[in-house]
Every structure is written in C-alpha cells, then in structure tokens.
Amino acid sequence: MRVLISGSSGTVGTHLLKLLSSDSFEIWRLVRSRNEVGNIIFWDPEGCYIENPDLLEGLDAVVHLSGESIIGRWTDKKKNSIRRSRVLSTRYLVKTLSRLRNPPRTFLCASAIGYYGSCGKEKLTESSPSGSGFLPDVCAEWENEANIASDIGVRVINLRIGVVLSPRGGMLVSLLPLFRMGLGGVVGGGEQYLSWISIEDLSRIIVYLLKNEELSGPVNAVSPNPVTNRQFTTVLAAALRKPAILPVPAFAVRLFFGEMGRCTVLASNRVYPEKLASSSYEFLHEDLGLALEDVILK
C-alpha cells in the first residue's frame, strides 16, 4: 500500500512512521523543509504549492496529520495560526487530490474530540452534534474541508483524536516532571472528563482504518474508558508511586492559561469510540493504569 503522510515529524506522525515501516507500506512524506531525506514531497500549503504533484498519482491513501499545536495562550494571532494550519492545508491538499487522474482511495484527516465542546457528563459518540466555541468551530470547518474529497469518490475519515498518552509529546510529557516530584494534583473540581488514547493504539487505529474500508466519516480515536480528572490524577500518581496532594484551582488555570485552559484543561469530554467498538478493532490499552505504566516505562 502506497501512503502519503503529512505531519510526519510530530508526536503521532513519528510513531506512525515506525509502525508503517514494519508493515507492507510504501511511505511518502509531505514536508515543509528541503533538508529532509527519503521519499519526500515538498509543500507549502499556505502558499498553495506542492513540488512534483505527479508523485501523488496512484496513491492508495493520504494521512493528513499536520497542524499547529493548540498549547499556548490563545491570542488572536495564535488562534488564527491554529485555524489556518488545519483548514487551509486541508483545503489545498483536497484541491490537489481532486486534480489527479488517479486520486487515492482513502483520505484520513486528523480532527479532535474538541469538535464536541465541553459537555459535562454527557456520553458523546460520532453521532453527537458539534459544540460551540473556538475549538468546535475549527474542528467542524476542518472536517468540512476534508469531506469535499468524497465528491471525487474518495473515502474520507475524520479521525477525532482524544488526549494522546505518549512519552515524547503532548499533555503527559508536561505532567510527568511535576508528578515525579510529588507536586501533582486534581485540576479544578476534578469531575471533568478526559477521553484518552495511548500513542500505540492511535497508530494502530490509523493502520486499521487504512486496511479496513468498511468505516468512513467521523471516527472517535479514544479509549472505551474515559476517566475524570480526579481518576486520572489518582492513577498517574499510583503509576509513579508518588503522592498527588496539590490541587490546582480552576481560577489559577484560567489566570495562567486563559481561554486555552478553560476550553481544554477545564473542559469535560466524555467521548466513546462507538464505531471502533462496533468493528473488529481490538484495543491494546483499555485500562488507564496499564496504559500509563506502559508509556512511563518507555
């Protein structure tokens, strides 16, 4: 299978490359730096430029993972960069695919469970509506651009990714130093839900979706066992064999992180992978404690 990947240098992309390399995949990468080596295609999505677009002919699948990190204060400039890096890159990539004589069979585009917004204890599945606010709006626009590829007969998957547990990036890397010093604790009220996925399962889910064509549209890439912030704190502290007795009040999160903290750290997303659970996919990590132990040991 011949697969093109954007965002291959990120946390998810790096791990996915290793998994694909161990399987029967011919891997090509969309890159922004001309210093990269291997099977690469240079692109500038905001400048609407892809070098050697003929190399995209005959691809089996495209996995689009690129996008600026949402971590950081959401100034107007930051929010514009978050939106543009996702929406414009997807728009240009889909437009490029639509011009090919032989477009790919599958276009898998990253999205996020931020699509649903903060919904308290409500159980959310792929059929749940979009929320309101900056993140839901960006995710909805992002997915709408990806869905245009279906007009040329491409199977589109909007992969709504939860909080990724990885030893090399994301939320967990920020938390581990504090928890290892015994400085961790419940954030806000601690009852907000966190829907997580191990980096191993996320990469395996992508490979599964590339090989199995019965699934399309939105797919929640989360463990079937979401937890509250309080539960997550307890399990992470136990995995590290450290106390977690220093709570972080909600007002402190809002003070230091502003809108980003309110819409991510304090948000409650109780999301379930209904489509994956109804398919033949078998999760490697369903239990948070085992997932954290596995990640921490790496």
Side-chain angles (χ1 to χ4, degrees):
M1 184 180 289
R2 189 164 175 257
V3 179
L4 177 70
I5 303 175
S6 75
S8 60
S9 61
T11 301
V12 177
T14 301
H15 196 279
L16 177 62
L17 279 179
K18 292 180 181 178
L19 186 58
L20 291 176
S21 298
S22 66
D23 209 325
S24 56
F25 287 88
E26 178 188 338
I27 305 166
W28 287 79
R29 294 184 295 134
L30 273 179
V31 299
R32 298 170 188 252
S33 171
R34 296 184 184 275
N35 296 324
E36 299 279 353
V37 296
N39 292 344
I40 61 169
I41 301 173
F42 175 79
W43 79 322
D44 176 9
E46 293 201 19
C48 297
Y49 175 74
I50 288 183
E51 197 169 79
N52 300 322
D54 286 347
L55 291 174
L56 276 62
E57 291 284 358
L59 289 167
D60 292 295
V62 174
V63 178
H64 183 36
L65 301 174
S66 62
E68 179 168 331
S69 171
I70 65 170
I71 303 302
R73 273 199 166 268
W74 285 357
T75 62
D76 288 343
K77 181 179 179 180
K78 175 71 172 178
K79 289 167 76 172
N80 188 50
S81 294
I82 290 170
R83 178 190 169 276
R84 288 175 63 88
S85 69
R86 288 161 171 77
V87 175
L88 295 188
S89 67
T90 304
R91 179 181 301 166
Y92 177 60
L93 187 50
V94 169
K95 185 176 292 186
T96 301
L97 297 179
S98 69
R99 293 171 179 160
L100 298 176
R101 296 184 302 276
N102 299 295
R105 294 196 307 272
T106 298
F107 180 53
L108 187 153
C109 185
S111 183
I113 59 172
Y115 174 92
Y116 303 108
S118 183
C119 294
K121 296 181 179 180
E122 180 183 352
K123 180 178 178 179
L124 303 169
T125 68
E126 288 89 350
S127 61
S128 299
S130 172
S132 60
F134 173 67
L135 277 185
D137 290 350
V138 168
C139 288
E141 192 173 357
W142 192 7
E143 292 188 13
N144 287 340
E145 294 293 341
N147 288 336
I148 293 173
S150 63
D151 294 341
I152 57 170
V154 175
R155 176 177 64 117
V156 177
I157 299 169
N158 303 116
L159 196 64
R160 294 174 182 166
I161 302 172
V163 175
V164 181
L165 303 184
S166 166
R168 295 179 179 84
M171 180 192 77
L172 191 60
V173 169
S174 301
L175 291 178
L176 282 176
L178 290 173
F179 274 75
R180 281 179 170 138
M181 292 187 291
L183 301 177
V186 172
V187 178
E191 300 309 309
Q192 66 272 29
Y193 273 88
L194 182 152
S195 295
W196 58 275
I197 186 76
S198 72
I199 188 68
E200 293 283 354
D201 262 320
L202 179 54
S203 297
R204 290 172 72 247
I205 287 168
I206 293 174
V207 173
Y208 174 81
L209 292 171
L210 293 180
K211 290 183 175 181
N212 296 271
E213 299 189 0
E214 70 272 13
L215 293 179
S216 63
V219 176
N220 291 335
V222 292
S223 156
N225 294 305
V227 295
T228 64
N229 174 266
R230 187 177 303 279
Q231 290 169 328
F232 182 87
T233 299
T234 300
V235 175
L236 178 56
L240 293 169
R241 294 168 177 79
K242 295 289 185 179
I245 56 176
L246 296 176
V248 180
F251 80 84
V253 174
R254 289 191 288 265
L255 178 65
F256 285 103
F257 298 106
E259 185 183 1
M260 189 276 288
R262 177 174 57 81
C263 295
T264 57
V265 180
L266 299 177
S268 184
N269 305 111
R270 191 181 183 186
V271 183
Y272 289 84
E274 189 171 79
K275 284 190 175 180
L276 287 171
S278 299
S279 73
S280 59
Y281 180 76
E282 295 183 3
F283 281 88
L284 184 66
H285 294 123
E286 294 191 14
D287 179 82
L288 177 62
L290 294 177
L292 287 173
E293 287 181 7
D294 195 17
V295 169
I296 292 167
L297 287 174
K298 293 181 179 180

